[in-house]
Amino acid sequence: MENEYNKKSKGVVLRNVTKIFPSLDGKGEFKAVDDISLDIQDGELVTLLGPSGCGKTTTLRMISGFEYPTSGDIFFGEKNVANIPPNKRNISMVFQSYALFPHMSVAENIAYGLQVKRLSREEVHQRTYKVIEMMQLNGMENRFPNQLSGGQQQRVALARAIVIEPQVLLFDEPLSNLDAKLRITMRDELRDLQQRLKITSLYVTHDQSEAMAVADKIVIMRAGIIEQCGTPQEIYEYPKNQFVANFIGHANFIDGKIVSWNDGGATAEIMGKPYHFSSPGSERLPIGSECVVTFHPESAVITDSKEGMPGKVVKATYYGSEMDYEIVLKDESKIAVKISNPQNTKRYAVGDEVALELNTNCVRILEKEKKTGGI
Amino acid sequence: MPEQGKPLLKRRSTTLQEMRMLIRQPVLSITILLILTSLVIFILFPLYKIAKLSLTDQAGHLTVANLINVFTSLSYRITFFNSLKLAITVAFLATFVAYIFAYALNRTDLPGKKFFNLIIQLPIVSPPFILALAVIFLFGRQGLITRGLLGIKNHNVYGMHSLILIQVISYFPVAFMTLSGILGAIDSSVEDAALNAGASNWHTFRTVTFPLSMPGVISAFLLTFVQSLEDFSNPAVIGGDYAVLATEAYRIITGLYDFNGGAALALMLMLPTVCAFMLQRYWLGHKSFVTVTGKPTQKTRRMNNGAIPPLLLFCSVVVLFILLLYGTVFVGAFCKTWGVDYTLGFSHFKYVWGYGKDALRKSLTLACIAAPITGILGIGIAYLTSRKRFPGRGIMKVSSLLTFAIPGTVLGIGYISAFNTKPILLTGTATILIAAFVFRNISVAIESGSSTLLQIDQSIEEASTILGASAGTTFRRITLPLLKQPFFTGIVFSFVRSVTAVSTVVFLVSPKWPLATSKIFGLFEISKYSDAAAFVTLMIVVILIAIAVINFAVNIILKPRIHKI
Ligand SMILES: Nc1ncnc2c1ncn2[C@@H]1O[C@H](COP(=O)(O)OP(=O)(O)OP(=O)(O)O)[C@@H](O)[C@H]1O
Ligand SMILES: [Mg+2]
């Protein structure tokens, strides 16, 4: 079965795709998607991640054919799909609301896509039950959707989408209707399935941990444009700008100034003191320019030493497995620090004067954004 | 891999893309084309014909004389104001009666609610002429009350007073349904809040309940206003000298063969109906849904126990009067000679069977053909306009909205002037009657289809599409089964209204295709009231049987079944 999928599936390519909606008052226009280009390799799972209204669903709907790009092209493999209607694109979609057919049983729901392709009765039967088996829906085939739990409905929706062996599988926030625990189970199951079947997939979500867990590649979007595209590790460890750093890992930012560059490392001045960082990222800002020093909460520690940047604890929360601090530095910047396994380290209380020490390997230097990259 | 570096924003036209998509979905495009063509031919073209006729003279020259004539001629002006006066009076009274009923049945613990609800549905489903017959039987020259009880000789039953009585009873149930929806949905906690603040019941009603139901009141008023304006059958048989636009247009066209004048009158009739319709849409669209949240609230608080006795008295009197009217016609159908010889017998039925059997059969046949067409076309239009984007969608929307607002008389005049010459020569055929039935009654199917579609998540259909189903398959296998209820409503409504139609068909019947209602109308013209009573009684029976049969058939066809895969 795996091989069948492999033969058929090819990547998806978006070239300079723009979508302009007439704005709601009918006068102006609104660019929901702005000149994005994207490569999804054969068998890859790519997540589209971004704040609400950034154009994720619109992008998905253009790939599925429910919306036409205002300009630009979409290719499945070598084929431009501009003139192919949604029902001829050989894709599947898992909807946020599941969109199960309420008047059909589970088996009918799953068989529907095979029936409309006019396959023989035996083939429909055989493939339907194979997927029912695979999705552990045995014994429920004659129930109607309103007789299923949320997780079961989700499974039926997934079964219905994969049974037709689509070239591309699209997900629009498929897990957002489930409770937190079930969401984790289902996302692992889903990732497992996608890995086994190797279907080229595009997955929309605005939950960053979900994106990290399922994706081969993450695409971060903001206001219709792609901010960064890369593996979860690349995105987390080498964010291209403050927006990405903030969105994916709630990174800290401290203002600084570039002092010098030396074989891969950089020295930056922070609050009048120079600090050396061994792998500041790929962007070479000119010497003397303003920059932001960026690091994740777990890449710093707080100590009593004189070495670090002086600050004051304003918040301390104990979670058992970890401890979260909020420190205010001299220049008023607020820094979050996460200490794992706090049992082994000294604990500080609100009001304590402390020093912030950065793990200099894990610090990146980014260009200072004009506007703050708020979400 | 495709080449990189395309020029930026090489914009594609959306219309062009929609067209291209349509070419790839032949079934969908053909359906759209067929529906658009039928709407253009059977809605827009007749209206265009009316506009053209009213702007030309008999020799075909362009002129505004007809329109000026309508405004300057004293008799036309009187007719116009007659229509308005009647419609406003009826709308006012019907809304008033309906409000009392809606309040009593929705917001108090009135005993016998089921019974009241049932009886006031009667005027909605009954054939035309019944109430006119009842009034003649009771208050006419040989009237049971006027002559029999009160001994008045030669009481003139014809005229505005009878029209008001009949139209109020005929149309208040429609107003009642509108008001019921709104009064039933007002959250009682709003009233409670006022009562807790120390307001009296009456004060609460005046300052809280009534203002909240105001959109419903306006909507009900406009609805009954339009119905009274459109009414042809009652003014025709009991209006006497009180001429209204609908009957006057009929007289001018069938009596004087003055199509230009008739068309001008039709335009005059359309003006207030279209305005009222648009106003009603506006009110219902913008106001009522604010209070009618659709969220089921806890049981509506029943209040005003002190108000129950007067409400009960009022409702009982109205309902008893309705029963008296219907009962009179029923008994009248069996009486030998009303007012003279009350011996019971079947003589009128025997006569009517011979006289109208053929017409009744033809009425039923045509209605049976028209009803499913209406249901399918109406649901199709609702589906396409609310779910699909395609060139021509605007035309489809506008012309389907027009079907709500065109009075039957106007449609009849439009058809007879549009289809009496080549290229579309249809006068005297069954086709023109079927088309009239379909397009006169399609609005209910469109309306109920659209409102159901609003409740069906669009992604259900998209799921079907993306699994490979064509638009036709999606419609047939997903949308249609979910639209079973409005489909049924559309079919039943269309059937009943087709069998009982008068205003449109009086222009279109021919010796080859007589219809039951035109035959009854004929009986009125020669004052054979008892025979007419027998005829309408017969029709009621036939209609009830037919509804049961349609109900059964639709349920069989659309029953959800589990198919073993
Ligand atoms: N049919 C439409 N007409 C006009 N504007 C639209 C239309 N569809 C989407 N938009 C606008 O385009 C923007 C992007 O919408 P989109 O649905 O793609 O956001 P999203 O990233 O999926 O957000 P969310 O996470 O909330 O689902 C939004 O500002 C939205 O208001
Ligand atoms: Mg979305």
Side-chain angles (χ1 to χ4, degrees):
Chain A
M1 189 154 185
E2 264 110 278
N3 282 337
E4 284 166 36
Y5 284 115
N6 250 335
K7 252 194 328 228
K8 278 179 158 180
S9 54
K10 299 203 185 80
V12 175
V13 177
L14 274 66
R15 279 282 163 266
N16 305 102
V17 173
T18 298
K19 177 70 193 182
I20 297 177
F21 287 115
S23 67
L24 290 179
D25 53 20
K27 284 181 210 119
E29 294 182 325
F30 178 79
K31 252 190 210 176
V33 171
D34 188 0
D35 190 27
I36 67 169
S37 296
L38 178 64
D39 260 307
I40 306 173
Q41 303 289 324
D42 198 357
E44 208 175 35
L45 192 155
V46 172
T47 57
L48 276 185
L49 182 63
S52 190
C54 69
K56 306 180 295 283
T57 301
T58 307
T59 308
L60 209 66
R61 289 176 64 81
M62 287 192 284
I63 295 173
S64 63
F66 290 126
E67 300 280 358
Y68 317 114
T70 311
S71 71
D73 293 291
I74 296 171
F75 298 87
F76 285 7
E78 306 274 313
K79 200 163 54 184
N80 190 328
V81 294
N83 293 325
I84 304 178
N87 58 325
K88 306 263 171 65
R89 290 194 177 188
N90 192 23
I91 50 184
S92 269
M93 186 150 164
V94 178
F95 294 85
Q96 180 170 3
S97 55
Y98 311 142
L100 297 177
F101 308 131
H103 58 301
M104 292 186 189
S105 66
V106 167
E108 284 177 278
N109 261 285
I110 297 173
Y112 183 81
L114 301 171
Q115 287 170 342
V116 298
K117 286 189 167 47
R118 301 191 188 288
L119 301 179
S120 71
R121 279 187 75 96
E122 298 88 75
E123 192 173 357
V124 170
H125 180 92
Q126 184 240 328
R127 281 169 66 174
T128 302
Y129 276 88
K130 194 165 173 179
V131 172
I132 286 179
E133 195 86 19
M134 195 194 314
M135 297 306 297
Q136 297 153 31
L137 287 165
N138 320 54
M140 294 173 206
E141 24 323 0
N142 289 330
R143 290 210 209 152
F144 284 96
N146 60 4
Q147 301 167 324
L148 299 175
S149 74
Q152 289 162 344
Q153 289 180 21
Q154 172 69 67
R155 278 211 192 85
V156 177
L158 200 56
R160 188 180 66 178
I162 59 169
V163 73
I164 61 166
E165 301 179 359
Q167 188 175 345
V168 179
L169 188 50
L170 305 173
F171 298 88
D172 192 358
E173 311 205 16
L175 305 180
S176 59
N177 281 341
L178 301 177
D179 64 62
K181 225 174 188 168
L182 195 55
R183 209 178 307 167
I184 293 175
T185 326
M186 281 307 295
R187 89 179 178 209
D188 294 342
E189 231 174 83
L190 201 145
R191 173 61 172 165
D192 224 45
L193 190 74
Q194 194 270 339
Q195 290 280 294
R196 256 192 298 149
L197 303 179
K198 286 271 175 261
I199 313 176
T200 310
S201 305
L202 187 63
Y203 187 112
V204 163
T205 176
H206 55 228
D207 179 335
Q208 58 112 348
S209 63
E210 190 177 307
M212 302 280 283
V214 299
D216 292 308
K217 217 157 70 184
I218 294 179
V219 174
I220 308 269
M221 284 185 74
R222 170 166 60 157
I225 60 168
I226 292 181
E227 291 283 356
Q228 190 173 356
C229 172
T231 62
Q233 195 178 337
E234 279 167 6
I235 298 259
Y236 190 82
E237 295 179 5
Y238 291 92
K240 273 201 180 135
N241 54 37
Q242 274 183 275
F243 173 78
V244 175
N246 190 3
F247 195 77
I248 200 83
H250 303 292
N252 295 305
F253 305 109
I254 306 176
D255 290 343
K257 200 189 264 173
I258 303 282
V259 175
S260 68
W261 290 94
N262 32 32
D263 48 36
T267 306
E269 190 186 280
I270 301 169
M271 287 174 270
K273 267 168 92 180
Y275 294 88
H276 183 77
F277 304 112
S278 55
S279 52
S282 54
E283 203 171 356
R284 290 246 155 171
L285 297 169
I287 287 171
S289 64
E290 294 205 341
C291 65
V292 278
V293 170
T294 307
F295 58 95
H296 289 118
E298 68 277 7
S299 304
V301 289
I302 46 182
T303 62
D304 303 320
S305 75
K306 296 269 161 335
E307 297 294 297
M309 302 167 204
K312 194 177 182 182
V313 176
V314 292
K315 205 163 142 194
T317 319
Y318 180 76
Y319 288 109
S321 65
E322 59 201 29
M323 181 136 187
D324 285 358
Y325 291 102
E326 198 173 299
I327 315 280
V328 175
L329 298 182
K330 283 273 152 58
D331 68 348
E332 308 269 279
S333 47
K334 275 189 185 150
I335 304 297
V337 175
K338 195 188 277 301
I339 308 293
S340 57
N341 198 8
Q343 288 186 40
N344 279 340
T345 51
K346 177 172 178 196
R347 271 172 266 164
Y348 297 90
V350 173
D352 288 355
E353 299 283 344
V354 294
L356 183 72
E357 277 185 43
L358 306 184
N359 181 344
T360 56
N361 288 332
C362 305
V363 172
R364 312 288 167 243
I365 292 179
L366 299 175
E367 190 179 0
K368 191 167 165 60
E369 244 174 50
K370 318 273 160 340
K371 282 186 300 172
T372 45
I375 304 174
Chain B
M1 276 291 116
E3 289 166 60
Q4 293 231 13
K6 293 255 162 168
L8 260 187
L9 269 185
K10 185 191 69 186
R11 277 209 192 192
R12 300 198 185 90
S13 139
T14 324
T15 323
L16 217 67
Q17 277 179 326
E18 284 171 357
M19 289 281 245
R20 243 186 255 142
M21 283 293 170
L22 277 185
I23 289 166
R24 277 152 191 280
Q25 303 190 49
V27 180
L28 178 64
S29 1
I30 290 170
T31 313
I32 290 174
L33 210 64
L34 278 178
I35 292 182
L36 269 180
T37 315
S38 67
L39 285 174
V40 169
I41 293 179
F42 291 110
I43 301 284
L44 299 182
F45 181 54
L47 287 183
Y48 161 78
K49 258 311 223 237
I50 287 180
K52 195 175 148 198
L53 275 176
S54 57
L55 288 173
T56 50
D57 61 22
Q58 307 229 339
H61 300 298
L62 205 64
T63 173
V64 284
N66 301 308
L67 289 178
I68 291 178
N69 196 18
V70 170
F71 283 107
T72 50
S73 138
L74 183 65
S75 72
Y76 280 174
R77 237 183 13 233
I78 290 176
T79 309
F80 182 70
F81 286 113
N82 273 355
S83 275
L84 281 188
K85 206 160 74 186
L86 177 67
I88 290 172
T89 316
V90 168
F92 183 78
L93 291 174
T95 309
F96 180 73
V97 175
Y99 197 95
I100 294 177
F101 267 87
Y103 188 85
L105 296 190
N106 284 290
R107 301 203 79 80
T108 69
D109 277 324
L110 197 76
K113 275 187 198 171
K114 279 231 175 71
F115 172 73
F116 285 126
N117 248 318
L118 189 74
I119 300 302
I120 60 180
Q121 305 294 324
L122 263 178
I124 296 180
V125 294
S126 63
F129 305 121
I130 287 196
L131 294 178
L133 275 174
V135 168
I136 290 172
F137 279 156
L138 290 175
F139 306 109
R141 196 167 301 176
Q142 305 291 343
L144 191 60
I145 293 177
T146 39
R147 179 74 186 267
L149 288 178
L150 305 175
I152 307 169
K153 280 185 192 157
N154 287 334
H155 176 251
N156 185 12
V157 71
Y158 304 96
M160 191 190 184
H161 52 295
S162 293
L163 273 178
I164 292 174
L165 177 69
I166 291 172
Q167 290 192 342
V168 167
I169 292 177
S170 301
Y171 304 138
F172 95 88
V174 178
F176 165 79
M177 295 209 287
T178 307
L179 287 166
S180 260
I182 281 169
L183 276 170
I186 292 176
D187 193 339
S188 18
S189 55
V190 191
E191 286 178 340
D192 288 345
L195 285 172
N196 289 342
S200 70
N201 276 336
W202 171 242
H203 190 254
T204 305
F205 173 79
R206 235 186 44 217
T207 55
V208 178
T209 322
F210 188 70
L212 276 177
S213 59
M214 207 51 202
V217 172
I218 291 172
S219 179
F221 183 89
L222 292 168
L223 224 57
T224 42
F225 174 78
V226 167
Q227 284 199 308
S228 166
L229 271 183
E230 283 189 13
D231 187 19
F232 170 83
S233 51
N234 292 316
V237 298
I238 208 158
D241 295 334
Y242 195 79
V244 295
L245 287 168
T247 49
E248 199 60 12
Y250 174 73
R251 195 180 63 80
I252 286 175
I253 285 185
T254 56
L256 306 177
Y257 299 103
D258 177 7
F259 276 79
N260 308 77
L265 274 184
L267 270 190
M268 293 305 296
L269 179 56
M270 246 184 100
L271 195 76
T273 47
V274 171
C275 288
F277 169 74
M278 284 182 341
L279 270 176
Q280 192 255 349
R281 280 266 140 161
Y282 174 80
W283 274 104
L284 219 75
H286 288 79
K287 296 287 163 66
S288 64
F289 293 127
V290 181
T291 46
V292 184
T293 55
K295 189 178 58 189
T297 49
Q298 64 299 40
K299 190 169 166 288
T300 312
R301 229 181 64 85
R302 313 296 182 190
M303 49 183 279
N304 277 344
N305 285 324
I308 286 182
L311 287 175
L312 186 62
L313 183 70
F314 180 87
C315 293
S316 306
V317 167
V318 172
V319 160
L320 285 178
F321 187 60
I322 292 175
L323 284 176
L324 173 69
L325 293 176
Y326 279 84
T328 304
V329 175
F330 186 70
V331 174
F334 290 94
C335 289
K336 202 150 191 196
T337 316
W338 188 265
V340 179
D341 178 1
Y342 287 106
T343 12
L344 299 179
F346 285 97
S347 60
H348 299 299
F349 284 94
K350 276 193 204 113
Y351 171 76
V352 159
W353 189 248
Y355 165 82
K357 179 178 64 193
D358 182 48
L360 188 59
R361 206 191 62 232
K362 284 179 169 155
S363 269
L364 290 174
T365 313
L366 294 185
C368 280
I369 299 172
I373 299 178
T374 313
I376 291 170
L377 200 60
I379 298 285
I381 290 173
Y383 174 70
L384 289 173
T385 50
S386 54
R387 287 294 212 253
K388 294 278 164 193
R389 277 171 295 173
F390 52 90
R393 178 163 168 257
I395 297 175
M396 194 180 282
K397 271 197 121 150
V398 168
S399 43
S400 68
L401 269 184
L402 278 172
T403 63
F404 288 80
I406 305 177
T409 307
V410 176
L411 199 70
I413 295 174
Y415 275 28
I416 158 167
S417 31
F419 305 126
N420 62 353
T421 49
K422 293 199 159 143
I424 314 172
L425 181 57
L426 293 176
T427 37
T429 64
T431 315
I432 197 169
L433 288 167
I434 294 173
F437 288 164
V438 169
F439 291 95
R440 174 86 179 107
N441 304 323
I442 200 167
S443 51
V444 168
I446 297 177
E447 174 82 351
S448 52
S450 302
S451 55
T452 309
L453 277 169
L454 272 183
Q455 293 157 15
I456 301 175
D457 187 357
Q458 187 160 358
S459 55
I460 290 178
E461 288 153 47
E462 290 181 350
S464 162
T465 304
I466 211 143
L467 288 168
S470 64
T473 310
T474 301
F475 182 66
R476 192 169 47 80
R477 289 202 52 188
I478 308 297
T479 319
L480 205 51
L482 296 176
L483 287 177
K484 177 179 153 175
Q485 198 51 50
F487 183 64
F488 175 65
T489 312
I491 285 190
V492 169
F493 183 84
S494 161
F495 178 83
V496 174
R497 288 256 311 229
S498 299
V499 174
T500 58
V502 181
S503 60
T504 317
V505 299
V506 286
F507 294 96
L508 307 176
V509 283
S510 52
K512 202 164 161 240
W513 286 98
L515 294 178
T517 46
S518 66
K519 282 291 202 182
I520 302 179
F521 190 37
L523 288 174
F524 268 95
E525 286 180 330
I526 48 174
S527 303
K528 289 194 157 193
Y529 299 124
S530 299
D531 293 323
F535 209 147
V536 290
T537 309
L538 197 63
M539 277 182 82
I540 289 183
V541 174
V542 170
I543 288 172
L544 288 180
I545 294 173
I547 290 178
V549 170
I550 297 177
N551 197 348
F552 186 70
V554 169
N555 269 316
I556 293 252
I557 295 168
L558 293 176
K559 197 170 127 196
R561 277 169 283 230
I562 292 188
H563 299 275
K564 288 269 180 278
I565 302 299

